[in-house]
């Protein structure tokens, strides 16, 4: 193998490039990235970066010295358009082609958007450019901000907007934010965090559309040139006045460029337990990869999968498997929420330390249990005991739960 193409200059793509060099690959290495930026850290985008507490240089994941050591050709601002599978050739959006002996797919995921034309004041928060645009808007004085979606991105953005002095409403279609991931008992904690932070939470209600004011001064939901958002229309008929709307309704794996390829794609690139796809010498890692039936948008998955994927790519077959313990964290309203493990429907919850009813007094630690065994752990501001249980869960290598719960998109 003399040439490897990494499609996606993401966290997972960078780690794949690192692993290729660390595992002895000394051939030509090309990294293709749709964004103009070198790999950067996404979690701070909804936190310190949004509030102005950090600059862009702090987001960089590799410095000039490491970049030189990787000895890779970086093709940034260039999107992959297709994969010609028989020749492992990547077709770029400008018509150029790259042929490789091996391909690593690390194109990540794209933020889901509401249907309809674009409106001024409506944002998603997935990329550095997204964060730049939103931060610029939030510095124009007090705004009425509506966040659609109470997941991690939505909750963290809402928290940051409160810090900046804005009036914030979160709209969540589920009865409680993060109920699918944490279960109803523990999801209520997230609702209390919003209340403590001064956010108005409207749950159990959907969004049917956005209202806007066009250049002619009229109001409607069709948008058009010069249109800016004025309100969010809810499924129960209410209108929420809004100067800024942040759409945080999840992300979809970036697999559109693979249409027409024989590569198996179904809610992500299908891989075995070793990140090996259905095509020879093609592996996938990170948010785009559905490894062993599960696609996990976790920072830990993006950093742990590449080692195994590269080992299997260089071996030409699956010689190792990866099954890291799901782990995520989220900073909301001055508290750190941490979760690790694989919660299943029907798991019971036991509070080990503190109390979820009195969050101001040091937080709490809770465990999920099934058949007398701990399957997952949740902590709010209890980092040290949480990390101990996380290590124990990782060592136990628990089986997948029956009635699998979708793993959350987060950091």
């Amino acid at each position: 193998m003399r040439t490897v193409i990494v499609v996606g200059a993401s966290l997972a793509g960078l780690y794949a490039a690192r692993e290729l060099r660390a595992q002895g690959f000394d051939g030509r290495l090309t990294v293709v990235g749709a964004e103009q930026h070198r790999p950067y850290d996404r979690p701070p985008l909804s936190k310190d970066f949004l509030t102005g507490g950090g600059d862009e240089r702090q987001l960089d994941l590799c410095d000039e010295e490491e970049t030189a050591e990787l000895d890779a050709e970086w093709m940034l601002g260039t999107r992959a358009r297709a994969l010609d599978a028989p020749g492992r050739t990547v077709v770029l959006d400008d018509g150029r082609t790259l042929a490789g002996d091996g391909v690593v797919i690390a194109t990540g995921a794209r933020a889901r958007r509401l249907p309809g034309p674009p409106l001024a004041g409506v944002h998603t928060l997935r990329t550095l450019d997204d964060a730049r645009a939103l931060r610029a808007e939030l510095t124009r004085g007090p705004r009425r901000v509506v966040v659609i979606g109470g997941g991690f991105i939505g909750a963290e953005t809402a928290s940051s907007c409160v810090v900046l002095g804005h009036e914030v409403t979160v709209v969540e279609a589920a009865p409680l934010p993060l109920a699918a991931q944490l279960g109803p008992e523990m999801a209520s904690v997230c609702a209390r965090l919003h209340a403590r932070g001064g956010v108005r939470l409207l749950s159990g209600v959907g969004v049917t559309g956005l209202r806007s004011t066009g250049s002619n001064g009229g109001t409607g939901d069709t948008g058009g040139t010069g249109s800016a958002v004025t309100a969010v229309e809810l499924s129960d008929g209410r209108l929420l006045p809004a100067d800024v709307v942040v759409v945080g309704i999840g992300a979809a794996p970036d697999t559109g460029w693979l249409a027409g390829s024989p590569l198996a794609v179904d809610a992500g690139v299908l891989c075995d337990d070793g990140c090996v796809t259905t095509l020879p010498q093609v592996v996938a890692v990170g948010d785009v990869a559905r490894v062993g039936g599960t696609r996990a948008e976790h920072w830990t998955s993006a950093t742990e999968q590449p080692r195994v994927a590269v080992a299997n790519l260089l071996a030409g077959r699956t010689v190792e498997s990866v099954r890291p313990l799901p782990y995520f964290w989220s900073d909301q309203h001055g508290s750190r929420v941490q979760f690790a493990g694989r919660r299943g429907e029907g798991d019971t919850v036991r509070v080990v330390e503190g109390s979820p009813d009195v969050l101001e007094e040091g937080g709490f630690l809770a465990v999920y249990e099934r058949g007398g065994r701990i399957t997952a752990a949740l902590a709010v501001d209890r980092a040290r005991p949480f990390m101990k249980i996380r290590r124990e869960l990782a060592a136990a290598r628990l089986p997948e739960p029956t009635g699998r719960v979708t793993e959350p998109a987060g950091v």
Side-chain angles (χ1 to χ4, degrees):
M1 184 173 295
R2 300 305 306 162
T3 302
V4 174
I5 304 165
V6 178
V7 187
S10 57
L11 174 69
L14 172 63
Y15 271 70
R18 287 173 174 171
E19 285 294 336
L20 281 161
R21 294 309 191 201
Q23 296 186 35
F25 175 71
D26 60 1
R28 182 180 179 185
L29 174 59
T30 302
V31 181
V32 179
E35 296 184 58
Q36 294 284 353
H37 316 292
R38 292 280 176 94
Y40 58 88
D41 203 16
R42 295 184 190 273
L45 296 181
S46 57
K47 308 179 185 75
D48 290 346
F49 182 80
L50 195 59
T51 58
D55 61 35
E56 293 185 14
R57 289 173 297 178
Q58 295 172 314
L59 301 175
D60 292 341
L61 288 172
C62 57
D63 56 24
E64 291 299 325
E65 181 180 356
E66 181 185 11
T67 299
E69 290 176 352
L70 284 175
D71 189 25
E73 178 184 1
W74 295 84
M75 303 184 69
L76 302 176
T78 304
R79 188 176 296 278
R81 189 178 69 195
L83 176 64
D84 179 11
R88 285 183 291 278
T89 299
V90 177
V91 182
L92 305 180
D93 56 3
D94 59 8
R96 288 179 294 171
T97 59
L98 300 172
D101 302 311
V103 176
V104 179
I105 298 174
T107 44
R110 295 186 182 186
R112 298 183 188 276
R113 301 176 184 272
L114 295 177
L119 297 174
V122 178
H123 299 264
T124 57
L125 186 52
R126 179 80 187 180
T127 69
L128 176 56
D129 290 339
D130 291 341
R132 284 173 172 172
L134 180 56
R135 185 164 79 167
E137 182 131 26
L138 294 174
T139 59
R140 298 175 185 169
R143 319 287 277 178
R144 296 168 298 179
V145 180
V146 176
V147 179
I148 301 174
F152 294 109
I153 293 298
E156 291 171 0
T157 302
S159 178
S160 295
C161 289
V162 168
V163 169
L164 292 170
H166 301 294
E167 176 188 320
V168 184
T169 300
V170 171
V171 180
E172 170 56 52
L176 288 168
L178 297 174
Q181 292 82 15
L182 305 181
E185 186 176 350
M186 291 294 102
S188 63
V189 174
C190 297
R192 287 197 291 276
L193 284 174
H194 283 306
R196 188 184 72 179
V199 169
R200 179 189 182 195
L201 173 64
L202 302 179
S203 56
V205 62
V207 171
T208 57
L210 302 177
R211 296 291 181 91
S212 64
T213 300
S215 57
N216 60 2
T219 301
D221 57 5
T222 58
T225 303
S227 295
V229 69
T230 59
V232 176
E233 184 174 353
L234 303 183
S235 56
D236 59 9
R238 283 181 290 175
L239 282 178
L240 301 178
D243 305 304
V244 177
V245 172
V246 181
V247 181
I249 55 176
D254 191 355
T255 57
W257 66 284
L258 296 169
S261 163
L263 190 71
V265 175
D266 182 10
V269 176
L270 296 185
C271 308
D272 65 11
D273 288 339
C275 302
V276 176
T277 73
T278 54
L279 292 178
Q281 300 302 97
V282 179
V283 298
V285 291
D287 293 356
V288 75
R290 189 173 168 190
V291 181
T294 300
R295 189 177 72 88
E297 294 180 26
H298 302 149
W299 193 91
T300 48
S301 297
T303 58
E304 293 177 2
Q305 289 174 356
R307 183 191 66 78
V308 171
V310 166
N312 293 333
L313 179 67
L314 296 178
R317 58 190 177 89
T318 302
V319 295
E320 289 192 52
S321 296
V322 59
R323 192 167 168 268
L325 184 76
Y327 166 67
F328 62 81
W329 74 92
S330 178
D331 294 326
Q332 303 176 23
H333 305 292
S335 289
R336 169 152 289 195
V337 180
Q338 294 174 287
F339 181 93
R342 296 180 173 86
R343 183 187 78 85
E345 296 293 351
D347 287 5
T348 59
V349 181
R350 176 168 58 90
V351 177
V352 178
E353 293 185 13
S355 170
D357 298 320
V358 193
L359 292 174
E360 292 80 1
E361 297 182 4
F364 72 96
L365 171 68
V367 295
Y368 297 80
E369 296 174 318
R370 184 188 329 131
R373 300 178 68 183
I374 296 176
T375 59
L378 170 70
V380 175
D381 297 330
R382 293 275 173 137
R384 183 171 295 180
F386 171 83
M387 295 308 292
K388 180 176 182 294
I389 289 184
R390 181 189 172 193
R391 288 192 296 268
E392 293 172 353
L393 284 168
R397 296 184 63 84
L398 292 171
E400 292 287 348
T402 57
R404 177 181 294 172
V405 175
T406 301
E407 293 178 359
V411 296

